[in-house]
Amino acid sequence: MKDTSQSLPPGSFGLPIVGETIQFLFDSEYVDKREKQYGSISKTNILGRKTVFMSGAEANKFILSSHMDYFSWGKGWPDNFKEILGRSLFLQDGEEHKRNRKLLMPAFHGQALANYVTTMEEIISKYLQKWVVKKKLTWFPEIKQMTFEIASVLLLGSPPEDKTKLLSQWFTELTNGLFAIFPIRASWTKYGKALAARDRLLKYIDEQIEKRLSNPGKDALGLMLQTTDEDGDRLSREEIKLQALLLLFAGHETTTSMLTFLCMALAQHPEVLAKAKAEQQELALEGDLSLEKLKQMTYLDRVLKEVERLYPPIGGGFRGVIKPFVFKGYYVPEGWIVSYRINSSHQDSNVFTNPKQFDPDRFSDERAEHKKTEYSLVGFGGGPRFCLGYAFAQIEMKIFASLVLRNCAWEILPNQNLTPDRIPSLHPRSGLKVKLVNSNC
Ligand code: HEM
């Protein structure tokens, strides 16, 4: 496979042991800077592993689709993720992954989604009313509580308010452990606290399963308990516990991030805000929202795509290399890690005109910049392992946006830092402090 003309990608491994982990975790421009220095493929050492960053649509297609059998998801995620999130979909490969994705699918498609709309609308309206009374608030943590409540009610069927605050606190502890640089197992370390929080969450999920065995219901947990494949195979109780934990994790951190940047971008671009509000008025929405009504919000679709492009909640995906390969003339050995870079792919000026500019109309039918190059817009991943919760996230984000656009006006408060921070999920550093007024008053 390797011949003398093929060298390893350019780059540097940084310091002994820690490599460039600190820069990767805490400098949100680290990957961009490397790309400027070394180009779209470069090597480094992060999270204790030799890693190759690959950026751009061609690299995305190579990793996500055309050469996906050269890579393993399970081997790609850092060890902290593997231990905390256990054997759930993120960490599975091959037949095991295929079987489980198929068994989880019914909870994220078709009629199941239609059943979620009313609950989402009720919870979002409740938070909106609370915020309008508060007037001044920091939106990121508030939205996080809201998306967590939606995820826990729809994924676990917990009654609203009941335990949501406590579960959300356990979840924050769990998430903090995912990025702990030194995974020391002690009750006082971030990592130790994350493992304890994971155990408490798994116990809680198990109690919910116990209650549901005789009457599963129509939420995601109910569907997971009932779904069988063509051979009558179904997920075991242990499997459901781990998959539900993963879905709670995957299902609210990312959505929180995108919604926060949506609110920020709309306030910063009054012309886009005006068009989005006009669309809501033209639709003359009355009564409860439905999937049909959400589908008609086509300008909102473009705005959400532009938020996905400029502020992707996940900066990139990791894979373990299980077969050595050559890409753009560089050799990448087996056992290394590759990371396809979502954020830098979205900044490619060969694909997106003025990529730094917030311009939802780049996704209009006439321009459709993302359709000219496959795998250029990958905020939700791509290929056979495209985000399982894409449709769930889209309806949640559209219901939120529709209610906020129809009922609220907001201003970003001065003296705050809106630079995006990456950990635990992409958010404006000051959390987006706003003054909210009810425009319907
Ligand atoms: C704005 C919201 C969301 C964003 C930006 C997002 C992004 C992503 C991305 C980038 C991937 C692929 C990662 C990779 O290739 O390494 C992914 C996979 C996944 N997402 Fe999402 N996600 C969102 C919402 C959700 C929701 C709401 C759920 C579930 C409730 C979910 C569940 C999953 C699962 C289970 C996978 C793994 C799929 C597989 O391996 O087959 N996501 N997501």
Side-chain angles (χ1 to χ4, degrees):
M1 167 60 84
K2 188 174 192 283
D3 68 45
T4 46
S5 64
Q6 290 161 349
S7 51
L8 294 170
S12 61
F13 289 130
L15 296 170
I17 305 174
V18 284
E20 297 185 339
T21 304
I22 310 283
Q23 295 92 312
F24 174 70
L25 289 180
F26 300 109
D27 177 359
S28 53
E29 288 171 9
Y30 164 71
V31 181
D32 292 348
K33 288 182 201 159
R34 288 187 69 81
E35 209 177 310
K36 275 196 195 109
Q37 192 177 355
Y38 300 116
S40 62
I41 171 163
S42 65
K43 66 174 183 291
T44 182
N45 180 5
I46 51 167
L47 307 165
R49 296 134 14 124
K50 288 188 171 144
T51 301
V52 171
F53 291 130
M54 289 169 61
S55 160
E58 195 183 331
N60 299 338
K61 185 174 176 182
F62 187 89
I63 296 169
L64 296 169
S65 172
S66 62
H67 291 69
M68 65 181 293
D69 57 332
Y70 284 54
F71 304 104
S72 150
W73 271 59
K75 292 196 164 99
W77 289 96
D79 288 344
N80 292 10
F81 277 73
K82 285 185 201 156
E83 178 157 29
I84 293 174
L85 294 176
R87 286 203 67 75
S88 50
L89 209 62
F90 266 13
L91 300 159
Q92 293 171 328
D93 285 297
E95 285 308 310
E96 185 185 28
H97 167 264
K98 223 186 248 170
R99 163 198 181 255
N100 292 342
R101 186 169 165 117
K102 210 158 135 198
L103 287 168
L104 289 171
M105 196 65 96
F108 295 96
H109 279 269
Q111 188 54 39
L113 292 176
N115 291 344
Y116 300 156
V117 173
T118 310
T119 309
M120 286 181 178
E121 190 173 359
E122 275 168 14
I123 296 175
I124 294 170
S125 301
K126 184 183 78 180
Y127 276 82
L128 224 56
Q129 280 160 18
K130 189 179 94 178
W131 296 338
V132 169
V133 174
K134 267 192 173 177
K135 291 202 164 60
K136 282 187 181 172
L137 62 136
T138 306
W139 232 338
F140 179 73
E142 293 281 346
I143 294 178
K144 192 160 170 171
Q145 241 185 62
M146 179 194 83
T147 58
F148 186 76
E149 185 166 330
I150 292 174
S152 58
V153 169
L154 287 177
L155 298 172
L156 296 182
S158 31
E161 306 282 357
D162 176 41
K163 275 208 162 189
T164 304
K165 222 169 168 184
L166 189 62
L167 288 173
S168 162
Q169 189 192 317
W170 292 346
F171 235 95
T172 304
E173 286 169 20
L174 178 148
T175 310
N176 289 341
L178 293 174
F179 298 100
I181 297 176
F182 300 108
I184 301 166
R185 294 152 197 280
S187 56
W188 46 272
T189 61
K190 268 191 184 171
Y191 196 66
K193 284 183 188 160
L195 291 176
R198 178 207 56 188
D199 292 345
R200 284 195 292 269
L201 283 160
L202 286 175
K203 184 165 174 283
Y204 177 81
I205 296 171
D206 196 50
E207 286 162 10
Q208 301 309 304
I209 296 177
E210 180 66 38
K211 282 190 209 155
R212 300 296 207 74
L213 287 173
S214 52
N215 182 17
K218 287 187 173 167
D219 58 27
L221 183 63
L223 291 168
M224 281 187 239
L225 284 164
Q226 292 170 83
T227 304
T228 52
D229 65 16
E230 53 280 7
D231 303 323
D233 188 16
R234 65 173 72 213
L235 293 167
S236 70
R237 183 161 170 168
E238 265 321 289
E239 286 174 321
I240 292 179
K241 262 166 62 178
L242 289 172
Q243 301 294 5
L245 182 73
L246 168 77
L247 293 171
L248 269 179
F249 166 71
H252 83 288
E253 291 277 349
T254 44
T255 321
T256 302
S257 166
M258 256 187 79
L259 287 179
T260 307
F261 284 106
L262 169 74
C263 297
M264 186 184 93
L266 286 174
Q268 289 172 335
H269 299 277
E271 69 297 347
V272 176
L273 178 67
K275 275 167 105 171
K277 276 188 183 268
E279 176 177 76
Q280 294 297 315
Q281 271 160 13
E282 278 157 25
L283 288 171
L285 299 161
E286 272 175 31
D288 295 341
L289 286 168
S290 63
L291 283 187
E292 207 36 58
K293 288 180 193 164
L294 295 175
K295 250 188 228 145
Q296 293 165 11
M297 299 174 189
T298 51
Y299 184 68
L300 185 54
D301 276 327
R302 291 182 211 166
V303 176
L304 285 172
K305 276 204 169 63
E306 186 63 337
V307 175
E308 171 194 341
R309 187 187 71 80
L310 264 183
Y311 306 104
I314 300 179
F318 290 99
R319 302 287 187 273
V321 179
I322 51 175
K323 282 189 214 169
F325 66 91
V326 174
F327 184 78
K328 292 200 170 167
Y330 293 112
Y331 172 77
V332 179
E334 184 181 342
W336 283 34
I337 303 295
V338 296
S339 173
Y340 75 95
R341 302 310 307 165
I342 296 174
N343 45 6
S344 34
S345 300
H346 290 178
Q347 290 296 324
D348 187 344
S349 55
N350 294 317
V351 177
F352 299 109
T353 325
N354 297 329
K356 298 248 172 278
Q357 203 177 318
F358 187 79
D359 175 14
D361 285 332
R362 67 175 80 249
F363 297 110
S364 64
D365 292 344
E366 304 78 53
R367 286 173 63 193
E369 293 182 351
H370 63 308
K371 289 201 177 149
K372 292 177 189 146
T373 312
E374 281 181 299
Y375 294 88
S376 55
L377 184 72
V378 286
F380 290 85
R385 295 194 70 157
F386 183 70
C387 175
L388 181 75
Y390 175 77
F392 184 101
Q394 290 298 318
I395 59 171
E396 181 174 345
M397 293 192 294
K398 283 178 108 173
I399 294 171
F400 174 90
S402 173
L403 289 171
V404 168
L405 286 165
R406 282 186 284 148
N407 294 297
C408 297
W410 65 100
E411 288 163 21
I412 298 180
L413 293 171
N415 305 322
Q416 58 173 320
N417 187 345
L418 297 176
T419 314
D421 244 353
R422 204 138 270 299
I423 309 285
S425 57
L426 198 74
H427 63 280
R429 198 160 293 171
S430 297
L432 191 63
K433 296 181 179 130
V434 292
K435 189 167 134 198
L436 202 63
V437 283
N438 187 339
S439 57
N440 278 348
C441 285

